[in-house]
Amino acid sequence: MDPKLLELLVCPVTKGPLDYVREKDELMSRSARLAYPVRDGIPILIESEARAVTEEELATLPPRTPRV
């Protein structure tokens, strides 16, 4: 996932930042507790396409680096 693109994308539900999870090819919203799929390099930012994220999955995410 292009880091520049990731800086521009936000969760469609909360308008908060997204984290790219390479192993699952998903964009995860910590605040909405949703994971959006990335298919063929295209983020699918539709709430009905997202899956719920468990507390365990959220705990495995590294701390977010503050944006400058």
Side-chain angles (χ1 to χ4, degrees), residues 7-61:
E7 286 180 21
L8 298 173
L9 296 176
V10 297
C11 172
V13 175
T14 66
K15 308 300 185 246
L18 295 165
D19 295 293
Y20 180 61
V21 180
R22 183 181 311 256
E23 299 80 32
K24 296 183 179 184
D25 209 17
E26 295 177 324
L27 292 171
M28 196 173 292
S29 171
R30 296 173 194 235
S31 55
R33 299 187 189 306
L34 293 172
Y36 299 93
V38 177
R39 296 186 188 128
D40 298 321
I42 301 169
I44 311 299
L45 298 177
I46 301 171
E47 187 177 0
S48 62
E49 292 286 323
R51 67 173 184 83
V53 175
T54 66
E55 287 293 326
E56 292 78 25
E57 287 177 292
L58 286 175
T60 64
L61 291 175

